Amino acid sequence: MSAANASFEVRSAGRGDLPALAALFDGYRVFYGQPSDPVRAGAFLRERLERGDSQLLLALDAQGGALGFVQLYPSFTSVGTAPIEVLNDLFVVPEARGRGVARALLRRAGDDARSRGAVKLVLSTAVDNTPAQSLYARRLGARCRLRRIRPDALTWTSASAPTAATSTWT
């Protein structure tokens, strides 16, 4: 399944996407203050893909250039006795920001999580990452719970998984 926009598409990523994913993941890590290490980034993602322990989505422009990615990890809620997903990584290259790429990645991530049976999506972002906080507030809506569990991060927890029709948290 592919979510399309006039200038880009969002699709599931595979091993053939590793070079583009590694470059994006390295940019994501640098954004969060880590030194650039494309080899480490590629090795980490290769292992995720080989083990199948995360889901990766990739946004590509019409020429196949990588614009952004999202990575989701399956988990569970013990109290709810149900599957959830952790949206651990969401990154869009600076030149593609403001074009709806992050919104499309988040929408597809929610739709895919729901299709896998997730009842909740949990994500965190840096306290000073106000663009991401604004996006999450708009996409996830007022029914989203915001908690500060680390001094440097805010965690958003949805009330339930999005519907495929609206991709908003209900």
Side-chain angles (χ1 to χ4, degrees):
M1 179 167 56
S2 171
N5 179 296
S7 59
F8 65 89
E9 75 165 331
V10 174
R11 63 169 174 77
S12 294
R15 289 187 65 154
D17 298 309
L18 206 49
L21 285 168
L24 290 167
F25 191 61
D26 188 56
Y28 168 79
R29 294 183 71 250
V30 168
F31 179 83
Y32 279 106
Q34 299 300 307
S36 178
D37 190 343
V39 173
R40 182 177 187 177
F44 180 82
L45 292 178
R46 181 179 305 104
E47 187 173 354
R48 302 291 68 75
L49 289 167
E50 287 173 356
R51 290 183 179 189
D53 56 11
S54 75
Q55 301 294 321
L56 286 150
L57 300 173
L58 182 61
L60 299 166
D61 65 21
Q63 292 74 40
L67 302 175
F69 82 103
V70 67
Q71 183 164 212
L72 299 128
Y73 292 92
S75 190
F76 297 90
T77 168
S78 298
V79 173
T81 62
I84 65 170
E85 293 205 7
V86 178
L87 192 156
N88 217 48
D89 313 310
L90 172 62
F91 180 75
V92 175
V93 295
E95 57 273 17
R97 292 178 186 161
R99 293 176 39 199
V101 176
R103 282 190 308 275
L105 283 163
L106 190 57
R107 181 181 313 115
R108 174 68 186 266
D111 289 346
D112 285 5
R114 184 167 193 263
S115 75
R116 290 187 292 270
V119 299
K120 188 183 294 189
L121 183 67
V122 179
L123 57 97
S124 296
T125 192
V127 171
D128 62 353
N129 191 349
T130 54
Q133 293 168 30
S134 178
L135 170 69
Y136 301 150
R138 284 191 317 271
R139 282 302 315 144
L140 303 179
R143 293 166 291 218
C144 185
R145 244 183 4 184
L146 174 64
R147 297 182 306 155
R148 188 174 188 149
I149 60 171
R150 292 185 354 224
D152 63 339
L154 298 172
T155 297
W156 299 78
T157 306
S158 68
S160 64
T163 63
T166 63
S167 294
T168 57
W169 301 100
T170 58

